[in-house]
Amino acid sequence: MKLRGAVHKYGAHINTDVIIPARHLSLSEGADLARHCMEDIDAGFVKRVKQGDIMVAAANFGCGSSREHAPLAIKASGISCIIAESYARIFFRNGINIGLPLLESPEAVHGTKNGDVLEVVLETGEIKNLTSGKTYRAAPYPPFLLDIISAGGLVEYTKRRLEKAK
Amino acid sequence: MNLGEKILAAHSGKTKVSAGEFIDVRVDMVLANDITAPLAIQEFGKLGVNKVFDPSRVVMVPDHFCPNKDILAAEQAKLMREFARKHGILYFEVGRMGIEHVLLPENGMVLPGEVIVGADSHTCTYGAVGAFATGMGSTDIAMAMATGEIWMKVPPAVKFVYRGKLKKWVGGKDLILFTIGQIGVEGAHYSSMEFAGEAVDLLGMDGRFTMANMAIEAGGKAGLFAVDARTIEYVKPRAKRSYRIYKSDKNATYARTFEWDISKLEPQVALPHLPSNVRPVSQVKNVEVDQVVIGSCTNGRLDDLRVAAKLLKGRQVNPRVRCIVIPGSQQVYMQAMREGLLGIFVQAGVAVSTPTCGPCLGGHMGILAAGERCCSTTNRNFVGRMGSTKSEVFLAGPAVAAATAVVGRITSPLEIAR
Protein backbone atom coordinates (compact mmCIF):
# COMPACT_ATOMS: atom_id res chain seq x y z
CA MET A 1 0.00 0.00 0.00
CA LYS A 2 1.34 3.38 -1.02
CA LEU A 3 0.59 6.43 1.14
CA ARG A 4 1.28 9.98 0.09
CA GLY A 5 0.81 13.19 2.04
CA ALA A 6 2.21 16.39 3.46
CA VAL A 7 4.17 16.32 6.70
CA HIS A 8 3.04 17.71 10.06
CA LYS A 9 6.19 17.62 12.14
CA TYR A 10 6.47 17.57 15.95
CA GLY A 11 9.22 17.20 18.56
CA ALA A 12 9.98 14.58 21.20
CA HIS A 13 7.71 13.14 23.92
CA ILE A 14 4.42 14.13 22.27
CA ASN A 15 2.12 12.78 24.97
CA THR A 16 -1.43 11.51 24.90
CA ASP A 17 -2.63 14.48 26.97
CA VAL A 18 -1.79 16.87 24.13
CA ILE A 19 -2.87 14.46 21.36
CA ILE A 20 -6.33 14.30 22.91
CA PRO A 21 -6.85 16.14 26.23
CA ALA A 22 -8.70 14.20 28.94
CA ARG A 23 -11.53 16.76 28.94
CA HIS A 24 -12.66 15.15 25.67
CA LEU A 25 -12.47 11.56 26.86
CA SER A 26 -16.19 11.32 27.37
CA LEU A 27 -16.27 11.09 23.55
CA SER A 28 -15.39 7.82 21.86
CA GLU A 29 -16.25 8.26 18.15
CA GLY A 30 -13.22 8.93 15.97
CA ALA A 31 -14.86 11.86 14.16
CA ASP A 32 -15.77 13.58 17.46
CA LEU A 33 -12.28 13.06 18.88
CA ALA A 34 -10.62 14.26 15.66
CA ARG A 35 -12.14 17.72 16.10
CA HIS A 36 -9.86 18.16 19.15
CA CYS A 37 -6.78 16.31 17.90
CA MET A 38 -3.49 17.99 18.94
CA GLU A 39 -5.39 21.11 20.10
CA ASP A 40 -3.28 21.66 23.24
CA ILE A 41 0.00 21.71 21.33
CA ASP A 42 -1.01 22.82 17.83
CA ALA A 43 -4.38 24.55 17.74
CA GLY A 44 -4.23 24.95 13.93
CA PHE A 45 -3.67 21.23 13.18
CA VAL A 46 -7.32 20.29 12.73
CA LYS A 47 -7.85 23.06 10.15
CA ARG A 48 -4.58 22.37 8.28
CA VAL A 49 -4.63 18.59 8.09
CA LYS A 50 -5.77 16.99 4.82
CA GLN A 51 -6.79 13.39 4.16
CA GLY A 52 -3.67 11.26 3.70
CA ASP A 53 -1.24 13.62 5.43
CA ILE A 54 1.62 12.15 7.44
CA MET A 55 2.62 12.91 11.02
CA VAL A 56 6.35 12.96 11.73
CA ALA A 57 7.81 13.21 15.24
CA ALA A 58 10.96 12.69 17.27
CA ALA A 59 11.39 10.14 20.08
CA ASN A 60 8.85 8.56 22.44
CA PHE A 61 5.73 9.53 20.48
CA GLY A 62 2.48 8.84 22.35
CA CYS A 63 3.92 8.61 25.85
CA GLY A 64 1.55 8.90 28.78
CA SER A 65 -1.82 7.29 29.20
CA SER A 66 -3.25 4.14 27.62
CA ARG A 67 -6.11 6.03 25.96
CA GLU A 68 -6.81 4.50 22.57
CA HIS A 69 -8.63 7.76 21.88
CA ALA A 70 -5.20 9.18 20.94
CA PRO A 71 -4.49 7.04 17.82
CA LEU A 72 -8.24 7.07 17.04
CA ALA A 73 -8.25 10.89 16.98
CA ILE A 74 -5.14 10.99 14.78
CA LYS A 75 -6.48 8.39 12.35
CA ALA A 76 -9.89 10.07 12.07
CA SER A 77 -8.26 13.46 11.50
CA GLY A 78 -7.06 12.13 8.15
CA ILE A 79 -3.48 11.18 9.00
CA SER A 80 -2.52 8.09 6.96
CA CYS A 81 0.52 7.05 8.98
CA ILE A 82 3.02 8.24 11.58
CA ILE A 83 6.79 8.18 11.24
CA ALA A 84 8.71 8.68 14.47
CA GLU A 85 12.13 8.03 15.93
CA SER A 86 10.43 5.81 18.52
CA TYR A 87 7.05 5.22 20.17
CA ALA A 88 5.85 4.73 23.73
CA ARG A 89 4.87 1.07 23.92
CA ILE A 90 1.15 1.35 24.73
CA PHE A 91 0.62 3.87 21.92
CA PHE A 92 2.45 1.55 19.52
CA ARG A 93 0.17 -1.38 20.38
CA ASN A 94 -2.91 0.81 20.12
CA GLY A 95 -1.93 2.17 16.71
CA ILE A 96 -1.29 -1.30 15.26
CA ASN A 97 -4.48 -2.63 16.86
CA ILE A 98 -6.72 -0.02 15.26
CA GLY A 99 -4.99 -0.09 11.89
CA LEU A 100 -3.00 3.15 12.03
CA PRO A 101 0.40 2.38 10.46
CA LEU A 102 3.34 3.45 12.65
CA LEU A 103 6.83 3.48 11.21
CA GLU A 104 10.15 3.90 12.99
CA SER A 105 12.87 5.72 11.11
CA PRO A 106 15.12 8.28 12.84
CA GLU A 107 16.79 9.13 9.49
CA ALA A 108 13.48 9.93 7.83
CA VAL A 109 12.50 12.10 10.81
CA HIS A 110 15.79 14.02 10.64
CA GLY A 111 15.55 14.42 6.86
CA THR A 112 12.00 15.76 6.84
CA LYS A 113 10.66 19.28 7.28
CA ASN A 114 7.18 20.50 8.03
CA GLY A 115 5.22 20.62 4.76
CA ASP A 116 7.46 18.20 2.81
CA VAL A 117 5.54 15.64 0.81
CA LEU A 118 6.35 11.98 1.59
CA GLU A 119 5.50 8.77 -0.18
CA VAL A 120 5.49 5.65 2.00
CA VAL A 121 5.33 2.02 0.87
CA LEU A 122 4.11 0.11 3.91
CA GLU A 123 5.13 -3.38 2.75
CA THR A 124 8.79 -2.45 2.23
CA GLY A 125 9.09 0.39 4.72
CA GLU A 126 10.41 2.67 2.00
CA ILE A 127 9.93 6.38 2.70
CA LYS A 128 10.53 8.79 -0.18
CA ASN A 129 10.73 12.52 0.47
CA LEU A 130 9.31 13.87 -2.80
CA THR A 131 10.27 17.43 -1.83
CA SER A 132 13.97 16.68 -1.25
CA GLY A 133 14.25 13.58 -3.45
CA LYS A 134 15.85 11.56 -0.65
CA THR A 135 14.82 8.03 0.31
CA TYR A 136 14.79 6.41 3.74
CA ARG A 137 13.87 3.05 5.17
CA ALA A 138 11.81 2.20 8.24
CA ALA A 139 12.55 -0.70 10.56
CA PRO A 140 10.63 -3.77 9.31
CA TYR A 141 7.74 -5.12 11.40
CA PRO A 142 8.44 -8.42 13.17
CA PRO A 143 6.52 -11.29 11.51
CA PHE A 144 4.22 -11.58 14.52
CA LEU A 145 3.02 -7.99 14.11
CA LEU A 146 2.69 -8.40 10.35
CA ASP A 147 0.10 -11.11 11.04
CA ILE A 148 -2.00 -8.61 13.02
CA ILE A 149 -1.51 -5.89 10.43
CA SER A 150 -2.34 -8.18 7.51
CA ALA A 151 -5.48 -9.34 9.34
CA GLY A 152 -6.53 -5.67 9.42
CA GLY A 153 -6.07 -5.14 13.14
CA LEU A 154 -6.37 -7.01 16.39
CA VAL A 155 -10.15 -7.55 16.29
CA GLU A 156 -10.02 -9.47 12.99
CA TYR A 157 -6.87 -11.29 14.09
CA THR A 158 -8.54 -12.44 17.31
CA LYS A 159 -11.77 -13.38 15.49
CA ARG A 160 -9.79 -15.74 13.28
CA ARG A 161 -8.03 -17.24 16.26
CA LEU A 162 -11.33 -17.78 18.07
CA GLU A 163 -12.79 -19.51 15.00
CA LYS A 164 -9.74 -21.74 14.72
CA ALA A 165 -10.09 -22.74 18.37
CA LYS A 166 -13.68 -23.91 17.82
CA MET B 1 15.78 -15.58 34.10
CA ASN B 2 14.84 -12.37 35.85
CA LEU B 3 11.58 -11.93 37.76
CA GLY B 4 9.62 -10.65 34.75
CA GLU B 5 10.84 -13.48 32.52
CA LYS B 6 9.98 -16.08 35.19
CA ILE B 7 6.39 -14.87 35.47
CA LEU B 8 5.94 -14.54 31.70
CA ALA B 9 7.40 -18.02 31.06
CA ALA B 10 5.03 -19.55 33.61
CA HIS B 11 2.08 -17.82 31.92
CA SER B 12 2.99 -18.85 28.39
CA GLY B 13 3.59 -22.54 29.02
CA LYS B 14 7.32 -22.24 28.43
CA THR B 15 10.26 -23.22 30.57
CA LYS B 16 12.28 -20.25 29.35
CA VAL B 17 11.62 -16.93 27.65
CA SER B 18 14.05 -14.17 26.80
CA ALA B 19 13.93 -10.50 25.85
CA GLY B 20 12.53 -9.74 22.41
CA GLU B 21 10.52 -12.96 22.12
CA PHE B 22 6.82 -12.69 21.15
CA ILE B 23 4.60 -14.84 23.35
CA ASP B 24 0.92 -15.48 24.09
CA VAL B 25 0.38 -14.87 27.77
CA ARG B 26 -2.44 -16.17 29.98
CA VAL B 27 -3.75 -13.33 32.16
CA ASP B 28 -5.00 -13.56 35.74
CA MET B 29 -6.99 -10.33 35.84
CA VAL B 30 -8.25 -7.90 33.20
CA LEU B 31 -9.16 -4.33 34.15
CA ALA B 32 -10.89 -1.35 32.57
CA ASN B 33 -12.25 1.97 33.86
CA ASP B 34 -15.03 4.39 32.90
CA ILE B 35 -12.91 6.03 30.18
CA THR B 36 -11.40 2.95 28.59
CA ALA B 37 -14.20 0.39 29.14
CA PRO B 38 -16.70 1.95 26.69
CA LEU B 39 -14.25 1.52 23.79
CA ALA B 40 -13.29 -1.96 25.00
CA ILE B 41 -16.96 -2.96 25.21
CA GLN B 42 -17.51 -1.71 21.66
CA GLU B 43 -14.56 -3.76 20.32
CA PHE B 44 -15.61 -6.80 22.41
CA GLY B 45 -18.97 -6.58 20.66
CA LYS B 46 -17.30 -6.91 17.24
CA LEU B 47 -15.84 -10.32 18.14
CA GLY B 48 -19.17 -12.09 18.12
CA VAL B 49 -18.59 -13.82 21.45
CA ASN B 50 -21.31 -13.63 24.06
CA LYS B 51 -19.31 -13.98 27.25
CA VAL B 52 -16.06 -12.95 28.89
CA PHE B 53 -13.46 -15.69 29.41
CA ASP B 54 -13.98 -15.74 33.20
CA PRO B 55 -16.29 -13.25 34.99
CA SER B 56 -14.26 -13.57 38.20
CA ARG B 57 -11.16 -12.30 36.36
CA VAL B 58 -12.59 -9.22 34.66
CA VAL B 59 -13.05 -6.06 36.73
CA MET B 60 -14.36 -2.61 35.91
CA VAL B 61 -14.02 0.45 38.12
CA PRO B 62 -15.78 3.80 37.69
CA ASP B 63 -13.03 6.11 38.92
CA HIS B 64 -11.85 8.62 36.32
CA PHE B 65 -14.90 10.85 35.76
CA CYS B 66 -16.97 9.34 38.62
CA PRO B 67 -19.01 10.28 40.57
CA ASN B 68 -20.30 11.36 37.15
CA LYS B 69 -18.96 14.80 36.31
CA ASP B 70 -21.40 15.55 33.48
CA ILE B 71 -23.97 13.93 31.22
CA LEU B 72 -21.47 12.37 28.79
CA ALA B 73 -19.50 10.87 31.69
CA ALA B 74 -22.74 9.56 33.16
CA GLU B 75 -23.56 7.83 29.85
CA GLN B 76 -20.12 6.17 29.77
CA ALA B 77 -20.44 5.01 33.39
CA LYS B 78 -23.91 3.65 32.60
CA LEU B 79 -22.65 1.70 29.59
CA MET B 80 -19.94 0.13 31.73
CA ARG B 81 -22.29 -0.65 34.63
CA GLU B 82 -24.79 -2.36 32.33
CA PHE B 83 -22.07 -4.46 30.70
CA ALA B 84 -20.76 -5.43 34.14
CA ARG B 85 -24.24 -6.53 35.29
CA LYS B 86 -24.98 -8.42 32.08
CA HIS B 87 -21.75 -10.40 32.23
CA GLY B 88 -21.59 -10.79 36.01
CA ILE B 89 -18.04 -9.47 36.17
CA LEU B 90 -16.42 -7.77 39.16
CA TYR B 91 -17.61 -4.19 39.54
CA PHE B 92 -17.33 -1.59 42.29
CA GLU B 93 -20.03 1.07 42.43
CA VAL B 94 -19.56 4.66 43.61
CA GLY B 95 -19.66 4.58 47.42
CA ARG B 96 -17.94 1.18 47.42
CA MET B 97 -15.19 1.91 44.94
CA GLY B 98 -11.75 3.41 44.91
CA ILE B 99 -9.15 4.47 42.40
CA GLU B 100 -8.56 1.19 40.55
CA HIS B 101 -4.88 0.84 41.45
CA VAL B 102 -5.57 1.45 45.13
CA LEU B 103 -8.69 -0.71 45.15
CA LEU B 104 -7.51 -3.90 43.42
CA PRO B 105 -4.47 -4.61 45.63
CA GLU B 106 -6.34 -3.88 48.86
CA ASN B 107 -9.04 -6.34 47.79
CA GLY B 108 -6.50 -9.06 47.06
CA MET B 109 -7.41 -9.10 43.37
CA VAL B 110 -3.81 -8.79 42.14
CA LEU B 111 -1.34 -11.24 43.62
CA PRO B 112 2.35 -12.19 43.48
CA GLY B 113 3.44 -14.03 40.37
CA GLU B 114 0.31 -13.11 38.40
CA VAL B 115 -0.02 -11.39 35.04
CA ILE B 116 -2.42 -8.45 35.12
CA VAL B 117 -3.43 -6.33 32.12
CA GLY B 118 -5.46 -3.17 32.40
CA ALA B 119 -6.74 -0.49 30.07
CA ASP B 120 -4.94 2.11 32.11
CA SER B 121 -1.29 3.02 31.86
CA HIS B 122 -0.80 2.89 35.63
CA THR B 123 -1.69 -0.81 35.79
CA CYS B 124 2.05 -1.28 36.39
CA THR B 125 1.31 -0.33 40.04
CA TYR B 126 0.75 -4.02 40.90
CA GLY B 127 4.42 -4.75 40.39
CA ALA B 128 4.64 -3.73 44.05
CA VAL B 129 3.16 -7.12 45.04
CA GLY B 130 5.40 -8.95 42.58
CA ALA B 131 2.85 -9.24 39.77
CA PHE B 132 3.78 -8.64 36.14
CA ALA B 133 1.24 -5.91 35.44
CA THR B 134 1.07 -3.64 32.44
CA GLY B 135 -1.19 -1.08 30.79
CA MET B 136 -2.71 -1.49 27.34
CA GLY B 137 -5.37 0.10 25.18
CA SER B 138 -9.06 -0.72 24.97
CA THR B 139 -8.83 -3.08 21.95
CA ASP B 140 -6.13 -5.17 23.60
CA ILE B 141 -8.20 -5.35 26.76
CA ALA B 142 -11.32 -6.33 24.80
CA MET B 143 -9.42 -9.27 23.31
CA ALA B 144 -8.08 -10.26 26.74
CA MET B 145 -11.63 -10.11 28.15
CA ALA B 146 -12.78 -12.49 25.43
CA THR B 147 -9.88 -14.94 25.36
CA GLY B 148 -8.03 -14.63 28.68
CA GLU B 149 -4.85 -14.27 26.66
CA ILE B 150 -2.79 -11.45 25.22
CA TRP B 151 0.32 -11.19 23.06
CA MET B 152 3.42 -9.66 24.58
CA LYS B 153 6.99 -9.06 23.62
CA VAL B 154 9.23 -10.16 26.48
CA PRO B 155 10.87 -6.95 27.71
CA PRO B 156 14.51 -6.56 28.67
CA ALA B 157 14.96 -5.86 32.38
CA VAL B 158 16.66 -2.88 33.99
CA LYS B 159 17.69 -3.13 37.62
CA PHE B 160 17.68 -0.22 40.06
CA VAL B 161 19.54 -0.64 43.35
CA TYR B 162 19.06 1.98 46.07
CA ARG B 163 21.78 1.83 48.75
CA GLY B 164 21.34 3.36 52.19
CA LYS B 165 18.41 4.49 54.31
CA LEU B 166 16.01 7.28 53.37
CA LYS B 167 16.02 10.47 55.43
CA LYS B 168 12.91 11.64 57.25
CA TRP B 169 10.16 13.05 54.97
CA VAL B 170 11.68 11.25 51.98
CA GLY B 171 9.67 8.36 50.52
CA GLY B 172 8.84 6.20 47.52
CA LYS B 173 7.71 9.17 45.45
CA ASP B 174 11.06 10.87 45.90
CA LEU B 175 12.91 7.68 44.89
CA ILE B 176 10.90 7.23 41.71
CA LEU B 177 11.03 10.95 40.76
CA PHE B 178 14.80 10.87 41.33
CA THR B 179 15.04 7.76 39.15
CA ILE B 180 13.00 9.27 36.30
CA GLY B 181 15.06 12.45 36.61
CA GLN B 182 18.22 10.40 36.18
CA ILE B 183 17.16 8.17 33.29
CA GLY B 184 14.55 10.31 31.51
CA VAL B 185 10.96 9.67 30.38
CA GLU B 186 12.08 6.94 28.00
CA GLY B 187 15.01 5.74 30.09
CA ALA B 188 13.34 2.38 30.69
CA HIS B 189 11.63 2.25 27.27
CA TYR B 190 9.79 -1.08 26.81
CA SER B 191 11.66 -2.55 29.80
CA SER B 192 10.64 -4.20 33.01
CA MET B 193 12.13 -2.19 35.86
CA GLU B 194 13.24 -4.16 38.93
CA PHE B 195 13.63 -2.19 42.15
CA ALA B 196 16.00 -3.46 44.85
CA GLY B 197 18.36 -2.41 47.63
CA GLU B 198 18.18 -1.50 51.30
CA ALA B 199 16.02 1.58 50.81
CA VAL B 200 13.23 -0.31 49.05
CA ASP B 201 13.54 -3.29 51.41
CA LEU B 202 12.70 -0.86 54.22
CA LEU B 203 9.94 0.84 52.25
CA GLY B 204 6.35 0.02 53.24
CA MET B 205 3.93 -1.40 50.69
CA ASP B 206 2.34 2.01 50.05
CA GLY B 207 5.71 3.47 49.08
CA ARG B 208 6.35 0.51 46.79
CA PHE B 209 2.99 0.99 45.08
CA THR B 210 4.01 4.61 44.43
CA MET B 211 7.28 3.54 42.82
CA ALA B 212 5.84 0.77 40.66
CA ASN B 213 3.01 3.12 39.66
CA MET B 214 5.36 5.55 37.94
CA ALA B 215 7.40 2.95 35.99
CA ILE B 216 5.33 4.03 32.97
CA GLU B 217 6.65 7.59 33.38
CA ALA B 218 10.10 6.21 32.51
CA GLY B 219 8.62 4.35 29.53
CA GLY B 220 8.63 1.04 31.45
CA LYS B 221 6.36 -1.87 30.69
CA ALA B 222 6.36 -3.05 34.31
CA GLY B 223 7.88 -2.01 37.64
CA LEU B 224 8.66 -5.03 39.79
CA PHE B 225 9.53 -5.67 43.41
CA ALA B 226 10.75 -8.99 44.80
CA VAL B 227 8.23 -10.54 47.18
CA ASP B 228 9.41 -10.31 50.81
CA ALA B 229 7.96 -10.56 54.32
CA ARG B 230 6.22 -7.18 53.91
CA THR B 231 4.55 -8.30 50.70
CA ILE B 232 3.33 -11.53 52.28
CA GLU B 233 2.02 -9.64 55.32
CA TYR B 234 0.05 -7.40 52.95
CA VAL B 235 -1.17 -10.06 50.55
CA LYS B 236 -1.96 -12.99 52.84
CA PRO B 237 -5.07 -11.66 54.60
CA ARG B 238 -6.38 -10.24 51.30
CA ALA B 239 -5.83 -13.05 48.79
CA LYS B 240 -8.89 -15.04 47.78
CA ARG B 241 -7.03 -17.40 45.47
CA SER B 242 -3.68 -19.15 45.64
CA TYR B 243 -0.59 -17.56 44.18
CA ARG B 244 3.02 -18.44 43.42
CA ILE B 245 6.12 -16.52 44.31
CA TYR B 246 8.87 -16.18 41.71
CA LYS B 247 12.39 -14.92 42.28
CA SER B 248 15.02 -13.62 39.91
CA ASP B 249 17.81 -16.12 39.39
CA LYS B 250 21.19 -15.15 40.85
CA ASN B 251 22.64 -15.13 37.33
CA ALA B 252 19.65 -13.30 35.79
CA THR B 253 20.51 -10.94 32.95
CA TYR B 254 19.79 -7.22 33.01
CA ALA B 255 20.16 -4.86 30.07
CA ARG B 256 21.44 -2.24 32.51
CA THR B 257 21.88 -1.83 36.25
CA PHE B 258 21.77 1.51 38.06
CA GLU B 259 23.01 1.83 41.61
CA TRP B 260 22.64 4.91 43.77
CA ASP B 261 23.42 5.84 47.36
CA ILE B 262 20.24 7.60 48.44
CA SER B 263 21.14 8.21 52.10
CA LYS B 264 21.45 11.95 51.46
CA LEU B 265 18.54 12.20 49.01
CA GLU B 266 16.30 15.24 49.54
CA PRO B 267 12.60 15.33 48.69
CA GLN B 268 12.27 15.65 44.90
CA VAL B 269 10.04 17.84 42.70
CA ALA B 270 9.30 17.41 38.97
CA LEU B 271 8.88 20.81 37.34
CA PRO B 272 6.59 21.41 34.35
CA HIS B 273 6.13 19.88 31.79
CA LEU B 274 7.81 16.48 32.04
CA PRO B 275 8.04 14.00 34.94
CA SER B 276 11.80 13.81 34.26
CA ASN B 277 12.32 17.53 34.89
CA VAL B 278 13.31 16.75 38.47
CA ARG B 279 15.13 18.88 41.07
CA PRO B 280 15.79 18.47 44.79
CA VAL B 281 13.24 20.60 46.63
CA SER B 282 15.98 22.93 47.95
CA GLN B 283 16.61 24.06 44.37
CA VAL B 284 12.96 24.93 43.74
CA LYS B 285 12.76 28.52 44.92
CA ASN B 286 9.98 31.13 44.92
CA VAL B 287 7.33 28.96 43.28
CA GLU B 288 4.01 30.12 44.73
CA VAL B 289 1.07 27.79 44.18
CA ASP B 290 -2.70 28.20 43.89
CA GLN B 291 -3.59 24.57 44.56
CA VAL B 292 -2.27 21.46 46.24
CA VAL B 293 -3.62 17.99 45.44
CA ILE B 294 -2.83 15.01 47.67
CA GLY B 295 -4.22 11.74 46.30
CA SER B 296 -4.36 9.65 43.08
CA CYS B 297 -3.28 6.11 42.21
CA THR B 298 0.25 7.31 42.92
CA ASN B 299 -0.15 8.78 46.42
CA GLY B 300 -3.72 8.26 47.66
CA ARG B 301 -2.94 5.53 50.19
CA LEU B 302 -2.99 5.55 53.97
CA ASP B 303 0.74 6.15 54.49
CA ASP B 304 0.50 9.16 52.16
CA LEU B 305 -2.39 10.64 54.13
CA ARG B 306 -0.58 9.95 57.41
CA VAL B 307 2.46 11.92 56.24
CA ALA B 308 0.28 14.80 55.06
CA ALA B 309 -1.70 14.83 58.31
CA LYS B 310 1.48 14.95 60.40
CA LEU B 311 2.41 18.19 58.67
CA LEU B 312 -1.08 19.69 58.57
CA LYS B 313 -1.95 18.90 62.19
CA GLY B 314 -2.46 22.11 64.14
CA ARG B 315 -1.57 24.19 61.07
CA GLN B 316 -3.64 26.01 58.49
CA VAL B 317 -3.60 25.79 54.70
CA ASN B 318 -2.28 29.11 53.39
CA PRO B 319 -5.23 31.44 52.66
CA ARG B 320 -4.16 31.78 49.00
CA VAL B 321 -4.11 27.99 48.47
CA ARG B 322 -6.86 25.47 47.74
CA CYS B 323 -5.77 22.14 49.21
CA ILE B 324 -7.64 19.03 48.07
CA VAL B 325 -7.09 15.62 49.68
CA ILE B 326 -8.52 12.57 47.92
CA PRO B 327 -8.33 9.23 49.77
CA GLY B 328 -7.72 6.53 47.16
CA SER B 329 -10.51 4.18 48.21
CA GLN B 330 -13.38 3.78 50.64
CA GLN B 331 -11.13 1.59 52.82
CA VAL B 332 -8.46 4.30 52.92
CA TYR B 333 -11.17 6.88 53.63
CA MET B 334 -12.61 4.83 56.50
CA GLN B 335 -9.23 4.12 58.09
CA ALA B 336 -8.23 7.80 57.73
CA MET B 337 -11.43 8.66 59.56
CA ARG B 338 -10.72 6.16 62.34
CA GLU B 339 -7.21 7.56 62.79
CA GLY B 340 -8.52 11.13 62.94
CA LEU B 341 -6.71 12.18 59.76
CA LEU B 342 -9.82 13.53 58.04
CA GLY B 343 -10.53 15.76 61.05
CA ILE B 344 -7.00 17.13 60.91
CA PHE B 345 -7.45 17.91 57.21
CA VAL B 346 -10.81 19.65 57.60
CA GLN B 347 -9.55 21.64 60.61
CA ALA B 348 -6.60 22.79 58.50
CA GLY B 349 -8.91 24.05 55.76
CA VAL B 350 -8.56 21.14 53.35
CA ALA B 351 -11.30 19.99 50.95
CA VAL B 352 -11.61 16.21 51.42
CA SER B 353 -13.13 14.37 48.47
CA THR B 354 -14.67 10.98 47.84
CA PRO B 355 -12.24 8.68 45.94
CA THR B 356 -11.77 9.68 42.28
CA CYS B 357 -8.95 10.23 39.78
CA GLY B 358 -10.61 13.63 39.31
CA PRO B 359 -8.06 16.43 39.00
CA CYS B 360 -5.01 14.24 38.16
CA LEU B 361 -6.02 14.07 34.51
CA GLY B 362 -7.97 17.34 34.45
CA GLY B 363 -11.27 15.51 34.79
CA HIS B 364 -13.01 17.33 37.61
CA MET B 365 -12.67 18.21 41.34
CA GLY B 366 -9.89 20.78 40.98
CA ILE B 367 -9.25 22.00 37.41
CA LEU B 368 -6.67 24.76 36.95
CA ALA B 369 -7.25 28.13 35.27
CA ALA B 370 -4.72 29.84 32.98
CA GLY B 371 -1.69 30.99 34.93
CA GLU B 372 -2.43 28.79 37.93
CA ARG B 373 0.07 26.46 39.53
CA CYS B 374 -0.50 23.24 41.43
CA CYS B 375 1.80 21.16 43.58
CA SER B 376 0.43 17.65 43.21
CA THR B 377 1.21 14.13 44.39
CA THR B 378 -0.06 12.77 41.05
CA ASN B 379 2.02 11.29 38.24
CA ARG B 380 2.04 13.54 35.17
CA ASN B 381 2.71 17.23 34.60
CA PHE B 382 2.26 17.45 30.82
CA VAL B 383 0.93 20.64 29.23
CA GLY B 384 -2.76 20.97 30.11
CA ARG B 385 -2.80 17.81 32.21
CA MET B 386 -4.79 19.38 35.07
CA GLY B 387 -6.70 22.02 33.14
CA SER B 388 -5.67 25.09 31.14
CA THR B 389 -2.72 24.67 28.76
CA LYS B 390 -1.36 27.77 30.50
CA SER B 391 -1.41 26.15 33.94
CA GLU B 392 1.52 24.33 35.56
CA VAL B 393 1.79 21.14 37.62
CA PHE B 394 4.71 20.39 39.95
CA LEU B 395 4.91 16.74 41.03
CA ALA B 396 6.03 15.85 44.55
CA GLY B 397 5.44 13.45 47.41
CA PRO B 398 2.84 14.02 50.15
CA ALA B 399 5.33 15.64 52.56
CA VAL B 400 6.37 18.40 50.14
CA ALA B 401 2.75 18.82 49.01
CA ALA B 402 1.46 19.27 52.58
CA ALA B 403 4.26 21.67 53.56
CA THR B 404 3.61 23.60 50.34
CA ALA B 405 -0.08 23.88 51.21
CA VAL B 406 0.82 25.50 54.55
CA VAL B 407 3.52 27.86 53.27
CA GLY B 408 1.90 28.71 49.93
CA ARG B 409 5.06 28.09 47.91
CA ILE B 410 6.89 24.89 47.10
CA THR B 411 9.02 24.02 50.08
CA SER B 412 10.69 21.26 52.04
CA PRO B 413 8.72 19.85 54.99
CA LEU B 414 11.77 20.86 57.07
CA GLU B 415 10.67 24.50 56.76
CA ILE B 416 7.71 23.81 59.05
CA ALA B 417 8.65 20.64 60.95
CA ARG B 418 11.63 18.65 62.16
Side-chain angles (χ1 to χ4, degrees), chain A residues 22-38:
Chain A
R23 59 182 176 276
H24 304 304
L25 294 186
S26 30
L27 305 169
S28 53
E29 288 298 326
D32 296 333
L33 293 163
R35 277 195 279 279
H36 304 287
C37 188
M38 310 301 280

Side-chain angles (χ1 to χ4, degrees), chain A residues 89-97, chain B residues 136 140 150-152:
Chain A
R89 54 161 286 276
I90 304 179
F91 184 91
F92 185 81
R93 287 187 79 111
N94 287 345
I96 298 296
N97 288 348
Chain B
M136 292 179 180
D140 271 324
I150 196 86
W151 71 267
M152 280 193 200

